Every structure is written in C-alpha cells, then in structure tokens.
Amino acid sequence: RNSTVSVERAGQLWYLRTCVDRMRIVDSVRRLGLQGNGLTDVMVRPITGVFKVNRTLEAVNLSWNELTDGACKAILAAVQMNRCVSEIDMTGNIVSEELLVKLVQTLNRHKG
C-alpha cells in the first residue's frame, strides 16, 4: 500500500502531536506532507520520534515552515537511525547550507 498523509493545521501543536502519535502505530504511511504549516523547531520533536519507530515512512515534506538549524540537527540525528526515510524536503526554511548538505548526504546513503 502506498499511503500519503498530508496534514493541515499542524501549526497547532496538540493537533500535530495527535497525528504523529497515530503514525507511531500505523504502518502503511509512506509519505507525510507537513509543508506550509508554520512549524517551528519545538514542533519537530514529535516528528523525529516517528522517524525512530515508523519503518514504512519514506518521504517527509517540511518545506515552507519556520525551521532552523536546531530542527535540522534533530532531523539528521533521527534519520540516521531510520534508513527507510530517503526524502525530506526542507525548501523555504532557515537552515544553513552545511546542515542541508549533511542531510542530503545521509538521505542519499539510504537510497543506495
């Protein structure tokens, strides 16, 4: 099954946590769309928790949020423990090129 979940209103932390908690037990979600939700670094913690336990998630769209290097570091650490995740879109966030390169390199290793 190829399932995609796109979440609107994720900028409300309680709603994001509810969605993410469900993903910890749902094993059919392959793609997660969280683009344009005004997510901040604090809101990334529940998402990285999913990376650690969900073994079907392959792609996450985090574009056009308010994420910084702090969020990217947390994401990088989480995806190093989950080789299933091979695509993360960070377009339009405030992340240094150095960290984006590290993230891309890690994800490329997952593809190979």
Side-chain angles (χ1 to χ4, degrees), residues 6 21 43 45 58 67 74 105:
S6 188
D21 284 346
M43 296 172 161
R45 187 174 311 230
E58 298 169 354
L67 304 177
Q105 289 171 341

Side-chain angles (χ1 to χ4, degrees), residues 2-111:
N2 190 6
S3 180
T4 300
V5 174
S6 188
V7 179
E8 296 177 16
R9 298 186 330 182
Q12 297 173 7
L13 189 55
W14 66 269
Y15 183 77
L16 176 63
R17 283 192 176 137
T18 301
C19 293
V20 167
D21 284 346
R22 288 184 183 149
M23 284 192 61
R24 290 176 192 265
I25 57 173
V26 174
D27 64 355
S28 62
V29 176
R30 304 262 183 255
R31 306 181 78 75
L32 176 61
L34 294 169
Q35 64 275 12
N37 274 288
L39 300 179
T40 64
D41 291 1
V42 173
M43 296 172 161
V44 165
R45 187 174 311 230
I47 299 165
T48 58
V50 169
F51 292 166
K52 294 175 186 176
V53 296
N54 185 304
R55 297 296 179 213
T56 61
L57 189 61
E58 298 169 354
V60 180
N61 188 339
L62 293 170
S63 64
W64 304 106
N65 283 292
E66 299 170 19
L67 304 177
T68 69
D69 284 358
C72 193
K73 287 177 186 176
I75 291 165
L76 185 56
V79 298
Q80 288 174 337
M81 298 191 307
N82 184 344
R83 297 189 57 84
C84 296
V85 178
S86 60
E87 296 176 35
I88 297 179
D89 188 346
M90 294 287 288
T91 304
N93 288 290
I94 312 160
V95 179
S96 69
E97 186 174 343
E98 176 186 348
L99 280 174
L100 287 176
V101 167
K102 286 181 182 180
L103 182 60
V104 167
Q105 289 171 341
T106 299
L107 296 173
N108 283 340
R109 283 194 295 272
H110 293 185
K111 292 177 184 177

